[in-house]
Amino acid sequence: MKFLKTLISILLFIIFLYTFVYPILIPISYLKKKNPKITAMMKYRINQWEKKGKKVKIKQIWVPLNKISPYLKKAVLIAEDDKFYYHEGFDLDAIMLAVEKNIKAGKLKYGGSTISQQLAKNLFLNPSKNPVRKIQEAIITFRLERTLPKNRILELYLNVAEWGEGIFGIEAASRHYFGKPSSALNPWESALLASVLPNPIKYNPLSQSSYVQKKAKLIYFIMKKRGIIKEEYEEITEETETELSQENKTEEIPLQEPIFQENKTFSENQTSL
């Protein structure tokens, strides 16, 4: 019995170290000036491919934030984290909304994670949704927000985010899907790329799936409404306005709730995007 208690105590101590100490010891300050050569998400995918006997080459081209289309940056913020420049790593409203939706759905379907949280996961953790990983993610997110400026966090995120099988970062994604550098992405292309971020393995920005098309049109419509873009695709906006005005929608587009509010107040960091 004594041996069993000792063993349990040791196991609990190891779990404690792994859950709380490990994310505290992870080096983060180097990210101020250096880019990571490989991320935890890349390692996770490589392991998956090896188990399946697949040979997939990782495509990634690092690009500074000021060389990325402003439309793409705005589209991603609208789709993934509309309050990015206003919160300190966690969007409590989005989290509570996700909890409510998950309760109604009866399963973990909605996340509510900010870009900072997604970056913490992509850089250092695996994509599992267990409580230990979420605690680690929260600790790392806290450290990222207090170590790096917002623009650097966004730059890192856009360069390591997954955009398809073996495709990491916006530059590789832009060249793969549209045959152009990310600096040349137009509003509609940006909306398409932003629309698939929640599940880039399942969805393709060039597909004609109703999910991708509806979400991209909604992102585009919001960019136009906020004055981010001038009208270039009249038929897109007209169709989107019609869809949004319908009371009975057949498919819910999982964008964060705050984006439906017209917000014309941008921080200094946002205006420099």
Side-chain angles (χ1 to χ4, degrees), residues 29-253:
S29 59
Y30 82 96
L31 292 172
K32 291 179 180 179
K33 296 182 178 180
K34 294 184 179 181
N35 301 323
K37 294 181 180 180
I38 191 169
T39 67
M41 178 58 76
M42 291 178 186
K43 293 178 181 178
Y44 177 81
R45 292 302 186 201
I46 291 172
N47 184 51
Q48 282 188 319
W49 298 330
E50 289 178 347
K51 288 182 178 179
K52 295 178 180 179
K54 297 175 67 175
K55 293 183 179 180
V56 181
K57 183 179 180 181
I58 289 179
K59 299 176 183 177
Q60 184 190 36
I61 304 171
W62 276 88
V63 61
L65 190 64
N66 62 5
K67 296 296 183 181
I68 299 173
S69 166
Y71 300 124
L72 184 283
K73 289 178 280 192
K74 295 294 187 182
V76 169
L77 289 173
I78 288 171
E80 293 297 299
D81 190 356
D82 205 36
K83 295 180 180 178
F84 176 70
Y85 282 99
Y86 302 99
H87 63 61
E88 297 183 355
F90 307 93
D91 186 345
L92 297 182
D93 291 334
I95 292 173
M96 292 305 298
L97 182 63
V99 170
E100 292 177 7
K101 289 185 175 181
N102 286 329
I103 292 175
K104 291 180 180 179
K107 58 182 178 180
L108 291 175
K109 184 178 180 181
Y110 302 93
S113 295
T114 63
I115 281 176
S116 302
Q117 288 175 276
Q118 292 180 50
L119 178 62
K121 178 189 69 176
N122 289 342
L123 286 177
F124 304 112
L125 305 169
N126 62 60
S128 66
K129 296 182 179 181
N130 64 71
V132 170
R133 205 275 290 166
K134 294 301 290 185
I135 293 173
Q136 292 176 327
E137 178 188 287
I139 295 173
I140 296 171
T141 298
F142 178 86
R143 294 183 61 208
L144 284 172
E145 283 279 340
R146 278 145 190 80
T147 304
L148 307 175
K150 284 287 189 178
N151 279 355
R152 178 56 174 163
I153 291 175
L154 182 60
E155 180 179 75
L156 286 166
Y157 174 78
L158 292 176
N159 275 284
V160 303
E162 190 174 30
W163 253 291
E165 189 169 59
I167 303 170
F168 290 86
I170 186 56
E171 188 69 15
S174 180
R175 292 176 184 273
H176 177 80
Y177 293 113
F178 298 108
K180 62 172 69 174
S182 59
S183 60
L185 288 168
N186 65 37
W188 178 238
E189 292 165 342
S190 298
L192 285 171
L193 285 166
S195 71
V196 302
L197 277 173
N199 196 335
I201 300 300
K202 180 178 180 180
Y203 299 111
N204 184 314
L206 298 182
S207 72
Q208 295 300 313
S209 74
S210 60
Y211 172 87
V212 172
Q213 291 297 310
K214 286 183 179 180
K215 187 170 181 180
K217 287 175 182 177
L218 182 54
I219 293 169
Y220 183 93
F221 173 75
I222 292 169
M223 286 198 290
K224 178 179 179 292
K225 186 178 180 182
R226 292 182 178 180
I228 296 170
I229 58 177
K230 293 182 179 180
E231 186 50 59
E232 296 180 13
Y233 303 95
E234 191 68 36
E235 70 281 2
I236 292 174
T237 302
E238 289 178 354
E239 185 177 344
T240 304
E241 288 176 336
T242 301
E243 291 175 357
L244 292 176
S245 66
Q246 294 176 351
E247 293 183 2
N248 298 319
K249 297 181 178 64
T250 57
E251 181 177 357
E252 183 177 2
I253 307 300

Side-chain angles (χ1 to χ4, degrees), residues 1-13:
M1 182 63 70
K2 185 177 180 180
F3 172 77
L4 182 59
K5 288 182 178 180
T6 302
L7 182 61
I8 292 174
S9 297
I10 293 173
L11 289 175
L12 290 175
F13 181 67

